Amino acid sequence: MKKYWNIYSKILLTISAIISFVVLGSQKPVQAEEKTYVIGTDTTFAPFEFQDTNGDFVGIDMDLLKEIAELEGFKVEIKALGFNAALQALESNQIDGMIAGMSITDERKAKFDFSESYFDSGVGMAVAAESTISTYEDLKGKTVAAKIGTQGATFAESIKDKYGFTITTFEDSANMYEDVISGNSVAAFEDYPVMGYAIKSASLPLRLTDYLEEANQYGFAVSKGKNAELLADFNAGLAKLKANGRYDEIINKYISTAEESSEDTSFLGLIKTNMPALAKGLWTTLWITLISISIALIIGIALGLMKTSHITALEWIATIYIDIMRGIPLIVLAFFIYFGIPQLLGIRFDAITAGILTLSLNAAAYVGEIVRGGINAVDGGQSEAALSLGLPYKISMVKVILPQAFRIMIPSFINQFVITLKDTSILSIIGLVELTQTGKIIIARNLQSSSVWLIVGIMYLVIITILTKLSSRLERNI
């Protein structure tokens, strides 16, 4: 037993060392002489920002930003967070600026400073190609779709009572369009250039109605009173692009002369084109899960031992932690760590660190209960026998109880690994580019929701099936 316990201790120490190396290694040294700004953006707002088949960020916003940065002599690091998450990241000072087809409104001016307008847009309404709906009056008693945090959602909210419809909201445009195509919603409200580009490039069975609401202006945003130099550089660079003609060339590239996508959207074609990105997303999912569950094992084992220690104070501490972590939804915990802590304490985490912390703290509570259950599942006579032989509680726990409990816990540990692996998909909400977020990014470009999600689902299924078989094999051999 001592041999197995020593091996187990060495494994825990090795895991701790690996975690420390990864966390410390991920902290890039800051080079004061290099003027680099972290810019948040959306991932599903073509033609303003999306990723091409090579994984490069492209679109009107991206092209303008890159050329302005080159003209004004600064560098940018793009964080594709999604519109709603990018707004929160800007508020919590996780990023220096945001460009994501963001309309300049009085409400937003209270929180952010905006550049000069770089594009004048307007909200349009799209319906299914064969739909008879053509006016707002036709929406009475029906459901419409809108994207969270956008001007389209704001406009739909402003007229819903007048015209008697309800609103379903989505995090990205692709799912919003799919909802209309499938008939769950009868119309979608979105900025007209975005919908027009999507319908044209992906040949969607949708059509724009004649409605076009008052134009709204897009602006580059920074937090109120911060990064004035960045804002001034953006305005200066924008003026230069308009003066030398490059601005019009970029706009025309994505709107006036935009063509239907040539990407192979057959099932096999999607696999061939996107497998490198999907494989990278899967690898990110796996290694983040491995590190998170390793940390969770260390914390969880400690919690389980505390709950079975018969020391009241330790039992209460473990119980409170487990109850809190099991009671907080994972998405709320992720938002609090990534957005809340920076605002409260000024401590900032990148998406990977925040994701690992979220998964680790959550899984540790469940591991703690697994350990408690495993220890309590060992026949009470084992403890009595150890004590009758004069073994102290600590030694009897290490040499007699834990080795037996560990065998009982193995299937539950594997099951928790599977759950944590699937929970990584929630972290896409803070911009972590794991497998699910990779799927969203691909769909934003080609709008092939059904096929891409089927591919992603199959990848999850293969990995989880392998882990399930491994669990069964370990259970038989131990």
Side-chain angles (χ1 to χ4, degrees):
M1 292 296 179
K2 183 176 181 180
K3 176 183 176 182
Y4 291 118
W5 178 251
N6 288 338
I7 293 173
Y8 181 61
S9 300
K10 290 177 181 178
I11 291 173
L12 288 180
L13 289 173
T14 302
I15 290 171
S16 301
I18 292 172
I19 293 167
S20 301
F21 177 78
V22 171
V23 172
L24 293 174
S26 65
Q27 305 295 319
K28 296 180 181 179
V30 178
Q31 298 180 2
E33 69 277 4
E34 194 173 58
K35 189 165 58 174
T36 300
Y37 296 106
V38 180
I39 308 300
T41 189
D42 198 352
T43 54
T44 60
F45 203 60
F48 290 91
E49 44 264 332
F50 60 101
Q51 276 187 300
D52 61 17
T53 54
N54 296 320
D56 298 322
F57 290 102
V58 296
I60 293 172
D61 288 0
M62 296 294 97
D63 289 7
L64 287 175
L65 181 62
K66 290 172 185 176
E67 296 208 16
I68 288 172
E70 186 175 346
L71 285 171
E72 300 304 311
F74 63 87
K75 295 182 179 180
V76 292
E77 177 187 338
I78 303 298
K79 274 196 173 183
L81 300 170
F83 189 85
N84 201 36
L87 276 177
Q88 294 182 64
L90 188 58
E91 283 188 86
S92 59
N93 296 315
Q94 290 274 48
I95 55 178
D96 299 309
M98 174 178 172
I99 185 167
M102 187 176 179
S103 299
I104 303 172
T105 64
D106 292 335
E107 183 181 12
R108 288 172 179 164
K109 283 181 179 179
K111 296 180 179 180
F112 311 116
D113 290 328
F114 283 93
S115 67
E116 298 295 328
S117 171
Y118 66 83
F119 189 85
D120 291 342
S121 183
V123 175
M125 181 174 78
V127 298
E130 71 282 359
S131 175
T132 58
I133 290 175
S134 58
T135 68
Y136 295 155
E137 286 79 6
D138 296 334
L139 301 176
K140 185 174 182 180
K142 297 179 172 62
T143 300
V144 306
K147 183 178 173 182
I148 294 174
T150 63
Q151 199 66 12
T154 301
F155 176 74
E157 188 70 31
S158 71
I159 66 170
K160 72 172 185 177
D161 292 333
K162 179 179 179 180
Y163 294 103
F165 59 80
T166 57
I167 302 172
T168 300
T169 55
F170 295 88
E171 284 285 345
D172 54 68
S173 300
N175 287 337
M176 179 178 67
Y177 300 145
E178 192 66 34
D179 200 58
V180 177
I181 293 170
S182 65
N184 294 323
S185 295
V186 299
F189 286 95
E190 176 72 288
D191 289 9
Y192 76 87
V194 177
M195 288 197 295
Y197 179 85
I199 293 170
K200 184 176 181 180
S201 65
S203 300
L204 296 180
L206 299 173
R207 63 177 174 83
L208 282 168
T209 64
D210 293 333
Y211 281 98
L212 179 60
E213 297 305 317
E214 184 177 353
N216 52 78
Q217 297 180 319
Y218 289 171
F220 174 80
V222 297
S223 292
K224 198 75 176 175
K226 296 181 180 293
N227 289 309
E229 183 182 359
L230 171 59
L231 200 60
D233 285 345
F234 185 91
N235 284 331
L238 179 63
K240 292 175 184 177
L241 291 180
K242 288 183 176 180
N244 63 23
R246 275 296 295 155
Y247 174 85
D248 290 331
E249 292 176 9
I250 291 172
I251 299 297
N252 290 334
K253 174 183 176 182
Y254 291 101
I255 293 183
S256 299
T257 60
E259 299 179 355
E260 183 178 337
S261 173
S262 59
E263 182 179 351
D264 184 356
T265 55
S266 66
F267 188 76
L268 293 178
L270 288 171
I271 293 176
K272 181 180 179 181
T273 302
N274 299 295
M275 188 47 66
L278 289 169
K280 184 178 179 181
L282 177 60
W283 169 242
T284 300
T285 293
L286 289 173
W287 75 259
I288 284 179
T289 301
L290 181 60
I291 291 178
S292 298
I293 203 68
S294 299
I295 297 174
L297 281 172
I298 295 170
I299 300 174
I301 289 171
L303 290 170
L305 292 173
M306 289 166 68
K307 286 206 72 173
T308 56
S309 66
H310 305 300
I311 300 174
T312 303
L314 294 180
E315 289 180 8
W316 271 102
I317 292 172
T319 299
I320 290 171
Y321 177 92
I322 290 171
D323 287 348
I324 289 174
M325 287 301 161
R326 292 173 71 180
I328 298 175
L330 195 63
I331 191 171
V332 174
L333 183 61
F335 273 128
F336 177 75
I337 291 174
Y338 192 64
F339 299 121
I341 291 179
Q343 289 181 308
L344 292 174
L345 304 176
I347 302 173
R348 297 181 181 86
F349 302 105
D350 58 34
I352 290 177
T353 304
I356 290 173
L357 281 174
T358 299
L359 294 175
S360 301
L361 295 176
N362 176 266
Y366 294 93
V367 171
E369 284 297 279
I370 291 171
V371 172
R372 180 196 61 79
I375 291 173
N376 290 339
V378 176
D379 192 299
Q382 298 291 317
S383 295
E384 295 174 4
L387 292 174
S388 68
L389 292 173
L391 293 176
Y393 173 80
K394 181 179 178 181
I395 295 177
S396 67
M397 178 62 71
V398 171
K399 293 190 174 183
V400 178
I401 306 301
L402 280 180
Q404 297 179 67
F406 186 70
R407 294 189 182 94
I408 298 171
M409 291 181 240
I410 287 292
S412 297
F413 282 151
I414 298 295
N415 185 55
Q416 185 57 48
F417 186 92
V418 170
I419 292 172
T420 303
L421 186 146
K422 290 190 290 185
D423 283 345
T424 58
S425 62
I426 294 176
L427 302 179
S428 64
I429 201 69
I430 60 173
L432 183 63
V433 186
E434 39 62 71
L435 184 54
T436 298
Q437 181 74 342
T438 302
K440 289 182 180 179
I441 291 171
I442 293 169
I443 291 169
R445 181 182 69 249
N446 57 36
L447 300 174
Q448 301 296 313
S449 298
S450 301
S451 297
V452 173
W453 287 133
L454 178 59
I455 294 169
V456 170
I458 291 171
M459 294 176 74
Y460 273 117
L461 182 61
V462 169
I463 295 299
I464 290 169
T465 300
I466 292 172
L467 289 173
T468 303
K469 296 299 182 184
L470 175 63
S471 174
S472 300
R473 187 161 190 162
L474 285 173
E475 193 173 2
R476 287 196 304 268
N477 293 339
I478 292 180

